[in-house]
Amino acid sequence: MKSATRRMINEQLPISESSPIKARFYDYAHFTYPWHFHAEYEIIYFKEGTGTSFIGNNMENFKDGDFILIGSNLPHYMKSDDVYHAADSSLRTKGTIIQFEQDFMQYSIRHYIQFTKIKKLLDDSQRGIYFPAGCSGKALELLESIPLESGMDQILSILQLFKEMSDISSKVILPPSEQMDQIRGNSRIDKILAYLNQHYTRHMDLNEISCLAAMSPASFCRFFKSKTGKTLKNYILDMRIGYACKLLSLDNMNISQISTECGFDTISHFNKSFKKNTGFTPTEYRRRMLAD
């Protein structure tokens, strides 16, 4: 897990207050996305496929019919069993992925008594929650229908899914993960990370960010690394690489355009940084993603 953690990507999803939910079916030869985290919550339903889920510090085997709920900023990745990676394999892993905004309906969920069980569900998801196959036929129906819906119908179905998930007695809440705890619960670091999330693709220097934190550059560097485990430069780089991974998987921009969009000064710097962080060149990564 150490090598995966070193290459952990901060994935940037196209989700906002005006478009708070992204739901889709997937059909892969095997899972390929590397060790990563993102601000959004995520539900992964394994309709078909077997393998291992890595969530925080935990490993859980998954099989046909299982699904998981992953909380905001919780590191994770999925690894299909070796048989799916065989050159002559015709196996596929299929299911549903639903991602929703970190602050989705948070006022109602945090303040209305009717949402008490859903609030606990989302709070517990900060550790990861595993739902075994056969735990709820209604939940599976919703997981199959939500990607086909839009607008209010989709929002109502998401809420119904939350209710079903909160009522499942056989769900397993995973042990606590320490990997992201150090960057939560501090108003100063939260303010800085929110600013970085908005501006990471443009040039930012140390003086600008340290002024935002009302600290000297030297003090800020020590503070930031103590909270995130990374230097400011490496943190921003990881965010840019995560955004690049998303753009490479969409196949609607060439690599030079992606390099510029993500804030890299030169394409050579982009290519070198991308391979160092992911183990692949941008071209290799796109080929692997689009092959599925």
Side-chain angles (χ1 to χ4, degrees):
M1 294 288 289
K2 288 184 178 180
S3 61
T5 303
R6 185 168 58 249
R7 293 176 176 173
M8 185 168 62
I9 290 171
N10 185 346
E11 184 182 9
Q12 306 300 306
L13 300 176
I15 290 178
S16 64
E17 291 181 359
S18 60
S19 181
I21 301 168
K22 181 181 179 183
R24 62 181 176 87
F25 299 117
Y26 66 87
D27 183 348
Y28 303 147
H30 51 79
F31 285 105
T32 59
Y33 206 81
W35 186 245
H36 67 288
F37 69 98
H38 41 72
E40 296 75 15
Y41 293 83
E42 182 168 37
I43 301 168
I44 304 177
Y45 167 45
F46 308 102
K47 182 177 181 178
E48 298 178 22
T50 60
T52 305
S53 63
F54 297 84
I55 303 175
N57 297 327
N58 300 288
M59 298 170 56
E60 291 287 334
N61 293 331
F62 63 80
K63 60 184 185 305
D64 295 0
D66 294 347
F67 60 101
I68 56 178
L69 172 60
I70 301 168
S72 171
N73 289 321
L74 182 58
H76 59 279
Y77 81 102
M78 306 299 127
K79 183 179 184 298
S80 299
D81 283 338
D82 290 344
V83 65
Y84 289 84
H85 294 262
D88 59 348
S89 174
S90 61
L91 294 172
R92 307 290 294 182
T93 183
K94 303 177 183 180
T96 304
I97 293 176
I98 300 172
Q99 297 158 324
F100 54 98
E101 188 195 16
Q102 181 180 22
D103 295 326
F104 179 71
M105 296 193 66
Q106 280 301 304
Y107 185 86
S108 298
I109 290 171
R110 297 294 172 191
H111 293 88
Y112 297 164
I113 192 170
Q114 294 90 343
F115 287 89
T116 298
K117 293 176 73 173
I118 292 176
K119 176 182 180 298
K120 185 177 187 310
L121 176 79
L122 297 182
D123 287 345
D124 288 342
S125 75
Q126 296 304 125
R127 295 161 58 175
I129 307 177
Y130 167 79
F131 298 83
C135 62
S136 169
K138 179 62 175 177
L140 297 191
E141 289 178 14
L142 290 163
L143 288 165
E144 294 273 16
S145 66
I146 287 172
L148 302 175
E149 298 172 337
S150 61
M152 183 60 71
D153 289 337
Q154 190 177 65
I155 290 176
L156 291 173
S157 290
I158 285 281
L159 291 176
Q160 184 64 39
L161 178 59
F162 290 167
K163 179 182 181 300
E164 292 296 321
M165 293 168 71
S166 67
D167 287 337
I168 294 171
S169 59
S170 58
K171 62 179 176 287
V172 178
I173 302 169
L174 302 179
S177 170
E178 299 175 357
Q179 289 192 339
M180 295 301 290
D181 285 349
Q182 60 184 343
I183 66 171
R184 296 193 183 110
N186 181 292
S187 59
R188 178 176 284 179
I189 196 67
D190 287 347
K191 177 182 178 182
I192 295 164
L193 296 184
Y195 185 82
L196 295 178
N197 282 335
Q198 292 181 354
H199 301 288
Y200 67 92
T201 59
R202 70 166 177 81
H203 174 72
M204 288 186 288
D205 61 29
L206 177 59
N207 288 330
E208 175 186 352
I209 308 302
S210 60
C211 284
L212 180 68
M215 302 172 74
S216 70
S219 295
F220 173 78
C221 287
R222 290 191 296 270
F223 169 76
F224 190 84
K225 190 165 186 179
S226 72
K227 294 298 181 182
T228 67
K230 300 178 182 180
T231 65
L232 176 66
K233 179 180 178 181
N234 286 339
Y235 189 90
I236 293 173
L237 178 61
D238 283 352
M239 296 181 75
R240 291 176 175 176
I241 296 297
Y243 186 33
C245 287
K246 176 58 62 177
L247 296 179
L248 287 165
S249 68
L250 296 178
D251 197 29
N252 56 4
M253 299 173 68
N254 64 43
I255 290 174
S256 179
Q257 290 171 323
I258 291 172
S259 172
T260 301
E261 173 69 16
C262 294
F264 289 91
D265 294 332
T266 66
I267 192 168
S268 61
H269 181 216
F270 171 58
N271 288 335
K272 181 178 179 180
S273 299
F274 192 91
K275 183 164 187 178
K276 182 178 180 180
N277 277 261
T278 68
F280 304 103
T281 66
T283 300
E284 290 169 342
Y285 184 86
R286 167 168 276 174
R287 187 181 301 119
R288 289 170 62 93
M289 291 298 291
L290 299 181
D292 290 329

